[in-house]
Amino acid sequence: MSRARSQVQKVRILRAVLRDRPGYLGKLTQLIGDAGANIGDIYKVRASGDSIVRELEIYVESEAQIEAVLRAVESSDGLRIDAVCDPVLELHRGGKIAMRSTVPVERVG
């Protein structure tokens, strides 16, 4: 798949639960790549029993590409996406601007 270098890409964080056996992380990354998404960082969140939770930072060109990744993973045994997060949106949720009084406020009204 050929991409224009100047095309703006969206960043998404996928929280994936996969079987803690050899080959499952490779299977997940292959599915992401086959959908045309690029992978940034991969973090191990936790491991318990026979599963492991990882967060993968992916770069996509459209929401349709994210949907393609989700469909591919959904149809695979031993893999599941628990959450998709937009890290840019999360940074803005609390607001970027903080307001503070330069003088103490003793009462309002």
Side-chain angles (χ1 to χ4, degrees), residues 61-81:
E61 295 170 359
S62 66
E63 293 297 322
Q65 207 170 25
I66 295 168
E67 291 301 319
V69 169
L70 296 177
R71 278 192 309 275
V73 172
E74 185 179 288
S75 65
S76 271
D77 183 47
L79 304 173
R80 184 178 81 238
I81 301 296

Side-chain angles (χ1 to χ4, degrees), residues 2-106:
S2 152
R3 260 183 220 152
R5 282 223 172 285
S6 63
Q7 190 165 13
V8 176
Q9 293 189 327
K10 300 175 182 205
V11 180
R12 295 293 183 268
I13 305 294
L14 301 180
R15 182 169 283 226
V17 179
L18 46 146
R19 196 167 288 146
D20 193 11
R21 300 276 184 271
Y24 282 90
L25 179 58
K27 187 176 178 181
L28 176 60
T29 58
Q30 182 69 49
L31 291 170
I32 292 169
D34 287 348
N38 196 11
I39 299 172
D41 293 328
I42 300 174
Y43 302 100
K44 178 178 162 185
V45 177
R46 72 177 169 277
S48 61
D50 65 342
S51 65
I52 189 164
V53 178
R54 293 190 183 267
E55 287 189 346
L56 295 91
E57 179 182 70
I58 66 167
Y59 298 90
V60 295
E61 295 170 359
S62 66
E63 293 297 322
Q65 207 170 25
I66 295 168
E67 291 301 319
V69 169
L70 296 177
R71 278 192 309 275
V73 172
E74 185 179 288
S75 65
S76 271
D77 183 47
L79 304 173
R80 184 178 81 238
I81 301 296
D82 270 358
V84 179
C85 172
D86 179 344
V88 176
L89 180 63
E90 291 301 316
L91 282 174
H92 288 86
R93 274 202 200 278
K96 292 182 358 180
I97 299 172
M99 293 177 52
R100 278 179 265 176
S101 175
T102 56
V103 296
V105 177
E106 294 180 17

